[in-house]
Amino acid sequence: MTMPKIRLFHIEVSNACNFRCEFCPTTVTRRKPLSMPLPLFKKIVDQVAENRLSRCIMLHVLGEPLLYADVISAVRFASDRQLKVIVTTNGSLLNEEMIAGLNDSGLYSMDISLQLLGKNRHVSRHAGLSFEDYYRHVMESVRMIREKTDIQLIVKVMNTVSGRLFSLDKPLVFAQQGREFRMLVHHLIMDLYGAMRFDIPEREVADKLKSVNLNSAVRIRLDEKLHVFVQLFIDWGNAFCKRTVHPAKFGSCSFAFTAPAVLSDGSVVMCCADYDGHTTLGHIDDGPLASMLNSERAQYLWEGFEKHRLRHPYCQRCLGSSNRFLAWEKGLGSILVSKFMNLEGENQAIIR
């Protein structure tokens, strides 16, 4: 059986974070904070490069990668192996020295997870700094990156309209959607252009946004190296539901085996959304990474996805629900999403 092509290989260099966002499983994970030893990181990168498993690696699953003491060395090592390296960060630790180091080490792209806009929502990130200070810092970081580096930059903001699809123990206190969300995105775009000292008529932005479906994952291009990415809220496999979850028996997944990951302890998981290692295929020290991703067990699980059958208990829970009917509905919906929607946001709108 032919396994799917890996779109993006994730390496979690650290699962520690300086934020405690209520929409992130950092708040519920059973794993203790851990940083990946640099030799282990190099071993993983060597195997990804030598076996041509993927052209791109993402330094992310849980955690803030800029807390990783060896982040510059890690980016340089992977870049020297001709891999495109992407860092996902909340942006709070960016400064002129860090930005210069990442650029000099060959960083290809950076995702800044701004996510929530406004001080009332920002409280749910438990960031230790006010929204005004955080937002101003992100804008200044965007300016430095665009003026002084060749790093591609994506600023992520979250639409919570999808929250109604999930079984959550408490309402989303950070909800942002609908007409208000459209205005928030509009103002964010204007502020980003302002940070770059680029004068653009506000009416031009408003007119371009009219045709953009902000209730889907979409990249909005501001220039050739700066995008806003509208990201839909996800529940990370019922991470925020402690009630009984009825498993889904059928469904599909856009991330299983196409976006595998190695966690900070060296566990190889088949999906980057598996924040606690439920789908572990082995440990990186157990044998060749390529063999694990093409093992008999991996092929058995992938064959199930091809037949829209969920064979792993965690996948069944991930697409399950506290209501049997909703579990059936989510399973069916996942099949439709995998066939007709693009959750990674290659759907693109262009401002400039």
Side-chain angles (χ1 to χ4, degrees):
M1 172 179 290
T2 301
M3 296 295 287
K5 183 178 180 180
I6 296 174
R7 292 182 289 105
L8 189 60
F9 195 95
H10 291 67
I11 304 177
E12 182 190 73
V13 291
S14 174
N15 65 337
C17 190
N18 57 331
F19 283 15
R20 296 285 293 174
C21 302
E22 293 179 13
F23 53 84
C24 175
T26 298
T27 58
V28 297
T29 181
R30 298 176 181 177
R31 292 190 290 142
K32 295 180 180 179
L34 179 69
S35 289
M36 179 179 288
L38 186 60
L40 181 59
F41 175 85
K42 291 181 176 180
K43 179 177 181 178
I44 298 164
V45 167
D46 279 339
Q47 293 192 40
V48 171
E50 289 168 7
N51 293 282
R52 299 182 180 179
L53 297 180
S54 178
R55 295 180 59 202
C56 299
I57 62 168
M58 168 80 84
L59 303 190
H60 184 58
V61 175
L62 290 188
E64 169 54 59
L66 299 190
L67 285 173
Y68 184 52
D70 294 312
V71 64
I72 302 296
S73 297
V75 172
R76 179 176 290 110
F77 182 82
S79 297
D80 287 346
R81 297 304 310 266
Q82 306 305 310
L83 296 175
K84 294 180 178 179
V85 185
I86 305 169
V87 165
T88 293
T89 173
N90 59 42
S92 65
L93 301 178
L94 289 170
N95 54 42
E96 189 168 4
E97 181 181 2
M98 176 65 75
I99 290 170
L102 290 171
N103 184 57
D104 292 344
S105 65
L107 184 67
Y108 172 71
S109 183
M110 180 186 298
D111 295 354
I112 299 181
S113 290
L114 180 60
Q115 303 296 11
L116 301 177
L117 299 166
K119 62 181 180 181
N120 292 335
R121 299 183 185 90
H122 178 72
V123 170
S124 68
R125 300 201 74 176
H126 304 281
L129 71 167
S130 71
F131 175 72
E132 291 77 11
D133 289 343
Y134 173 55
Y135 191 74
R136 183 166 50 249
H137 182 79
V138 168
M139 291 299 144
E140 176 62 16
S141 298
V142 168
R143 183 195 64 78
M144 286 191 288
I145 291 168
R146 293 298 293 111
E147 287 184 357
K148 300 180 179 182
T149 80
D150 293 321
I151 299 170
Q152 296 197 44
L153 187 59
I154 297 174
V155 178
K156 292 186 174 182
V157 60
M158 183 167 59
N159 187 342
T160 62
V161 67
S162 56
R164 64 178 182 270
L165 302 175
F166 304 119
S167 301
L168 305 172
D169 289 338
K170 57 183 180 179
L172 299 177
V173 297
F174 48 84
Q176 56 182 21
Q177 59 194 66
R179 182 177 299 178
E180 180 194 19
F181 180 66
R182 184 169 291 275
M183 289 303 301
L184 290 171
V185 172
H186 173 96
H187 290 308
L188 171 62
I189 291 173
M190 294 302 301
D191 289 343
L192 287 168
Y193 276 126
M196 296 189 297
R197 301 186 177 95
F198 187 92
D199 189 23
I200 184 171
E202 192 164 349
R203 172 52 57 186
E204 179 181 344
V205 174
D207 288 344
K208 293 286 181 65
L209 281 179
K210 285 180 181 179
S211 61
V212 179
N213 179 12
L214 296 182
N215 288 331
S216 66
V218 59
R219 295 178 190 267
I220 304 171
R221 190 186 111 153
L222 276 60
D223 69 18
E224 69 278 4
K225 289 193 175 181
L226 176 62
H227 291 71
V228 168
F229 178 26
V230 175
Q231 182 172 5
L232 297 180
F233 169 81
I234 62 172
D235 69 345
W236 290 80
N238 283 297
F240 313 114
C241 179
K242 294 183 179 179
R243 292 169 289 167
T244 298
V245 173
H246 298 282
K249 297 300 183 181
F250 62 90
S252 187
C253 181
S254 300
F255 301 101
F257 293 108
T258 67
V262 180
L263 303 183
S264 53
D265 66 353
S267 297
V268 180
V269 296
M270 70 181 188
C271 174
C272 63
D274 180 7
Y275 63 91
D276 257 352
H278 299 283
T279 64
T280 301
L281 299 169
H283 189 277
I284 191 65
D285 288 335
D286 291 342
L289 180 57
S291 296
M292 271 182 253
L293 294 171
N294 289 276
S295 66
E296 184 176 337
R297 173 171 169 74
Q299 293 193 30
Y300 169 76
L301 294 170
W302 176 248
E303 181 186 44
F305 284 116
E306 287 193 318
K307 296 179 178 179
H308 304 308
R309 295 291 182 267
L310 304 177
R311 290 176 170 172
H312 197 289
Y314 183 70
C315 300
Q316 294 175 5
R317 175 182 169 82
C318 182
L319 289 174
S321 174
S322 58
N323 178 294
R324 282 190 174 89
F325 174 76
L326 288 179
W328 181 90
E329 191 176 52
K330 281 179 68 178
L332 177 61
S334 69
I335 296 172
L336 297 176
V337 166
S338 67
K339 287 183 176 293
F340 302 113
M341 289 183 65
N342 195 323
L343 295 181
E344 286 299 286
E346 276 77 5
N347 304 312
Q348 183 171 245
I350 299 176
I351 303 293
R352 280 290 176 95

